[in-house]
């Protein structure tokens, strides 16, 4: 594989920060306008996307999201978030070409013409003989993958975003003062295997019975890109609820929150009315009605005095928790 190196992240002339596009070979210092060349076939290997939201804007985006997802608007506006942590999540980004060969055995289709009972000429597809062929491949590779376990943060890929937005040269000292930088865990060789495996599967054609391929990466551009998210949380009663807000566009990536409370008046009032009416009609009818109600209640939940009290007096039922991913 190509040995990739990078010559720092600051201008050697004035020390100012440098901005790069992924895989670039040249750049110009934004401070002193000195033209610079980036060493290595793939340019700098570590970037980050600049966050566009501060903690206040992230909380506003979270409240707006909760107000549209079943949480009472008054509750959403009164929420008090505890702190807020800016996290930079690592992603591997691999671009290049997968070059090699493949051997394919697949079914073929034969189109046959026939005349139906009305004398009309029609066509039908029939299963033909199996075909075998070999061919050379040169397929583009554009693959991104989380560099560690990011399931709790709801972010799975950034290929599209990192292609559109400008990347910044990684400055660890600056970013560690602002937030938490997650270390990559996934090894580079695993990323290469995953990228080649994905290309191999996509090269399979329809109707393939057997498929063999040998592919190698060529012109590899490998980068580690750090993506900013805000980790927020709020308390409601005795429960803590987390929210993850995209630090670039303010979209809520993952959240857990209480659903809208349900006001339950009709069921207990109807029960009391019917039982009272049964007793006014006849005492024995009232006793039978009570027995039927208790049997129905025991069939739907555990029969206890606390359960009965909850049925008649708990008129506002908290909503079930909602998971957003």
């Amino acid at each position: 594989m190509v040995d990739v190196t990078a010559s720092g992240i600051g201008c050697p002339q004035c020390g100012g920060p440098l901005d790069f596009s992924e895989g670039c070979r040249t750049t110009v210092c934004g401070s002193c306008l000195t033209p610079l060349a980036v060493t290595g076939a793939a340019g700098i290997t570590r970037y980050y996307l600049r966050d566009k939201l501060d903690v206040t804007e992230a909380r506003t985006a979270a409240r707006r999201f909760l107000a549209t997802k079943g949480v009472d608007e008054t509750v959403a506006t009164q929420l008090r978030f505890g702190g807020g942590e800016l996290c930079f999540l690592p992603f591997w980004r691999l671009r290049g070409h997968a070059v090699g060969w493949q051997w394919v055995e697949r079914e073929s289709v034969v189109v046959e013409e026939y005349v139906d009972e009305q004398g009309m000429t029609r066509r039908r597809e029939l299963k033909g003989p199996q075909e075998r062929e070999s061919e050379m491949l040169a397929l583009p590779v554009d693959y991104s993958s989380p560099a560690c376990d990011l399931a709790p943060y709801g972010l799975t890929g950034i290929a599209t975003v990192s292609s559109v937005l400008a990347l910044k040269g990684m400055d660890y000292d600056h970013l560690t003062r602002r937030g938490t930088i997650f270390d990559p865990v996934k090894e580079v060789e695993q990323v290469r295997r995953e990228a080649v495996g994905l290309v191999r599967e996509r090269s399979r054609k329809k109707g393939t019975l057997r498929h063999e391929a040998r592919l190698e990466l060529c012109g590899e551009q490998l980068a580690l890109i750090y993506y900013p998210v805000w980790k927020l949380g709020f308390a409601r009663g005795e429960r803590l609820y987390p929210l993850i807000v995209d630090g670039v566009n303010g979209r809520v990536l993952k959240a857990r929150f209480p659903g809208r409370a349900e006001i339950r008046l009709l069921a207990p009032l109807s029960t009391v009315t019917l039982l009272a009416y049964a007793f006014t009609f006849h005492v024995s009818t009232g006793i039978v009605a009570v027995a039927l109600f208790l049997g129905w209640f025991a069939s739907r939940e555990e029969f206890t005095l606390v359960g009965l009290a909850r049925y008649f007096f708990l008129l506002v039922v908290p909503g079930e928790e909602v998971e957003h991913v």
Side-chain angles (χ1 to χ4, degrees):
M1 296 297 175
V2 179
D3 183 18
V4 179
T5 60
S7 297
I9 55 173
C11 174
Q13 184 71 20
C14 68
L18 297 178
D19 296 345
F20 293 89
S21 296
E22 186 177 354
C24 69
R25 303 293 185 85
T26 61
T27 187
V28 176
C29 175
S31 301
C32 65
L33 303 181
T34 301
L36 302 168
V38 181
T39 62
I44 194 169
T45 59
R46 291 177 184 261
Y47 310 89
Y48 77 97
L49 281 162
R50 177 179 292 173
D51 52 293
K52 298 182 178 180
L53 281 75
D54 58 23
V55 65
T56 302
E57 293 169 329
R59 291 172 178 173
T60 301
R63 289 192 180 94
R64 189 182 302 116
F65 167 82
L66 292 173
T68 62
K69 291 296 182 178
V71 178
D72 292 338
E73 186 174 353
T74 55
V75 174
T77 56
Q78 295 173 2
L79 288 178
R80 294 294 178 264
F81 292 95
E85 180 184 6
L86 180 60
C87 303
F88 292 91
L89 309 180
F91 285 82
W92 286 111
R93 177 78 185 280
L94 192 152
R95 305 174 72 181
H97 285 82
V99 179
W101 58 267
Q102 72 172 357
W103 178 86
V104 178
E105 180 181 19
R106 63 174 179 266
E107 296 178 344
S108 63
V109 177
V110 177
V111 179
E112 181 184 79
E113 291 187 353
Y114 68 99
V115 179
D116 62 12
E117 297 177 353
Q118 287 76 33
M120 301 292 294
T121 301
R122 299 184 181 278
R123 293 184 176 184
R124 59 187 173 192
E125 294 184 350
L126 300 175
K127 182 178 179 180
Q130 295 179 359
E131 297 179 348
R132 299 176 180 85
E133 65 177 16
S134 299
E135 60 180 337
M136 302 299 294
L137 298 177
L139 303 174
V141 178
D142 191 348
Y143 179 72
S144 71
S145 175
C148 60
D149 181 15
L150 300 181
Y153 296 87
L155 197 60
T156 58
I158 59 169
T160 303
V161 176
S162 62
S163 297
V164 176
L165 300 179
L167 302 176
K168 307 285 292 182
M170 193 66 179
D171 187 340
Y172 283 93
D173 293 337
H174 171 68
L175 294 185
T176 50
R177 289 194 296 267
R178 302 184 58 242
T180 303
I181 301 177
F182 284 54
D183 294 326
V185 176
K186 183 182 293 186
E187 299 292 338
V188 174
E189 286 303 321
Q190 182 179 348
V191 178
R192 291 175 176 138
R193 288 194 300 269
E194 291 174 355
V196 172
L198 181 62
V199 173
R200 183 184 294 110
E201 287 302 313
R202 289 179 176 176
S203 67
R204 293 173 63 96
K205 299 180 179 179
K206 183 178 180 180
T208 297
L209 300 175
R210 288 193 296 167
H211 176 262
E212 295 182 10
R214 183 178 293 268
L215 300 172
E216 297 290 340
L217 288 171
C218 180
E220 172 188 298
Q221 296 179 4
L222 186 66
L224 193 61
I225 303 173
Y226 290 84
Y227 196 91
V229 300
W230 280 99
K231 182 179 180 181
L232 306 176
F234 67 93
R236 186 68 179 166
E238 298 180 353
R239 298 298 303 274
L240 294 176
Y241 296 95
L243 290 100
I244 305 299
V245 180
D246 192 311
V248 176
N249 54 37
R251 183 168 60 95
V252 174
L253 300 172
K254 191 168 185 178
R256 189 174 73 248
F257 51 91
R260 188 183 297 273
E262 177 185 357
I263 300 177
R264 187 172 55 85
L265 295 174
L266 182 61
L269 290 179
S270 299
T271 302
V272 172
T273 302
L274 291 174
L275 293 178
Y277 176 77
F279 274 103
T280 59
F281 185 78
H282 196 278
V283 175
S284 60
T285 304
I287 294 174
V288 171
V290 171
L292 290 174
F293 167 74
L294 294 177
W296 169 80
F297 185 83
S299 65
R300 62 189 295 269
E301 63 178 89
E302 185 179 357
F303 180 78
T304 61
L305 293 178
V306 175
L308 280 173
R310 186 184 302 111
Y311 176 81
F312 285 105
F313 299 106
L314 186 62
L315 303 182
V316 180
V317 180
E320 295 184 358
E321 289 188 355
V322 180
E323 190 84 16
H324 171 77
V325 293

